[in-house]
Amino acid sequence: MRERKGVFVFMGQLHIMDHPLIQHKLTIMRDKNTGSKDFRELLEEISLLVGYEITRDFPLDDVEIETPLVKMTAKRISGKKVAIVPILRAGLGMVSGLITLLPVARVGHIGLYRNEETHEPIAYYFKMPQDIQQRFVIITDPMLATGGSASAAIAMLKEHGCSNIRLMCLVAAPEGVQRLQKDHPDVDIYTCALDEKLNENAYILPGLGDAGDRIFGTK
Ligand code: PRP
Ligand code: URA
């Protein structure tokens, strides 16, 4: 457990975004007849909506301002520095929605792809803002399957000094959630669906297929 705002909460919490708008949009994304253009737009819209939840506990400061009528004490986010870190490729599809909400966030990139036979992640790129260790990090990747990619990405960020990390995904498999809760119990997971299982190729069932290929139209 850890302390947040004076209360203890369980580590590695799983937050399932069950808002009707999100569920409706996700259903269209899962449909095999949905093309890349709609898929991309829906992913962007969902990312914005999940971003609203992922930032829900950002601390606020009091600030003195003057409205056209009177002076007042108002609320302002207390200098929270954010980094959005997509796992390439598919995580890129979630960046623009989040940037709309957090326009001054910096963006880091982690390149990982899964070996088709072993399903183990292979790292090929890592580029972060200089002060990444001081930032609240939101990793984006639509698919949490075995959890290997997300776990590796979190480990890389921790090696670079990051301690405040959340994972934003779209569809998660129980295997991936369990893996992350074991490897990184301090990282909260925000997902729009917890699906049934993985198939023999480590694809999520029912899932939505290959997220990268559907975003970029590569199949
Ligand atoms: C997909 C997905 C995740 C990973 C999830 O990427 O975007 O990064 O697989 O699987 P895991 O939880 O079992 O690691 P992929 O390796 O297909 O690369 P791509 O985004 O470049 O297509
Ligand atoms: N990567 C994907 O894009 N989809 C899956 O179901 C699993 C891994």
Side-chain angles (χ1 to χ4, degrees):
M1 285 200 291
R2 69 183 151 177
E3 199 185 2
R4 189 187 288 165
K5 284 184 168 177
V7 292
F8 286 101
V9 292
F10 288 102
M11 285 183 160
Q13 275 196 80
L14 177 67
H15 305 259
I16 300 179
M17 305 290 104
D18 59 0
H19 192 287
L21 283 176
I22 294 178
Q23 292 303 313
H24 178 87
K25 290 173 194 294
L26 175 58
T27 299
I28 303 171
M29 293 184 75
R30 286 185 191 270
D31 190 327
K32 67 176 185 182
N33 296 313
T34 299
S36 285
K37 175 181 177 293
D38 289 342
F39 192 92
R40 270 199 299 269
E41 287 173 4
L42 288 160
L43 184 57
E44 185 178 331
E45 289 166 20
I46 290 180
S47 305
L48 188 147
L49 294 168
V50 178
Y52 187 76
E53 273 305 312
I54 221 168
T55 54
R56 174 175 284 283
D57 61 354
F58 271 18
L60 294 168
D61 281 340
D62 285 342
V63 54
E64 303 302 321
I65 60 161
E66 265 184 75
T67 76
L69 301 175
V70 286
K71 289 188 176 178
M72 75 169 286
T73 306
K75 300 287 180 195
R76 188 171 61 190
I77 288 178
S78 64
K80 197 90 187 161
K81 288 170 139 190
V82 179
I84 301 165
V85 178
I87 300 179
L88 309 179
R89 292 174 299 170
L92 284 174
M94 304 177 95
V95 175
S96 59
L98 268 181
I99 285 273
T100 305
L101 280 186
L102 302 163
V104 297
R106 300 284 167 92
V107 182
H109 294 86
I110 297 181
L112 289 171
Y113 68 89
R114 291 199 315 180
N115 176 296
E116 278 179 19
E117 269 133 44
T118 65
H119 309 130
E120 285 300 314
I122 316 280
Y124 61 89
Y125 190 72
F126 186 89
K127 182 83 180 173
M128 290 299 136
Q130 250 186 347
D131 58 351
I132 187 69
Q133 65 288 341
Q134 294 163 24
R135 290 181 177 266
F136 171 90
V137 177
I138 303 174
I139 299 177
T140 64
D141 191 336
M143 309 309 280
L144 179 63
T146 65
S149 304
S151 181
I154 295 166
M156 288 182 210
L157 287 163
K158 286 182 173 173
E159 275 165 30
H160 283 75
C162 299
S163 57
N164 200 350
I165 304 171
R166 287 179 188 179
L167 174 70
M168 181 168 141
C169 57
L170 186 65
V171 179
E175 293 89 335
V177 173
Q178 281 161 15
R179 167 90 185 257
L180 279 200
Q181 287 182 332
K182 177 170 155 282
D183 292 356
H184 301 289
D186 54 318
V187 174
D188 281 12
I189 304 165
Y190 290 73
T191 186
C192 303
L194 181 62
D195 274 11
E196 278 164 37
K197 59 178 180 180
L198 299 178
N199 72 8
E200 61 283 4
N201 297 318
Y203 271 77
I204 301 173
L205 293 179
L208 48 72
D210 188 303
D213 283 340
R214 295 200 63 189
I215 293 168
F216 297 108
T218 39
K219 226 173 221 168

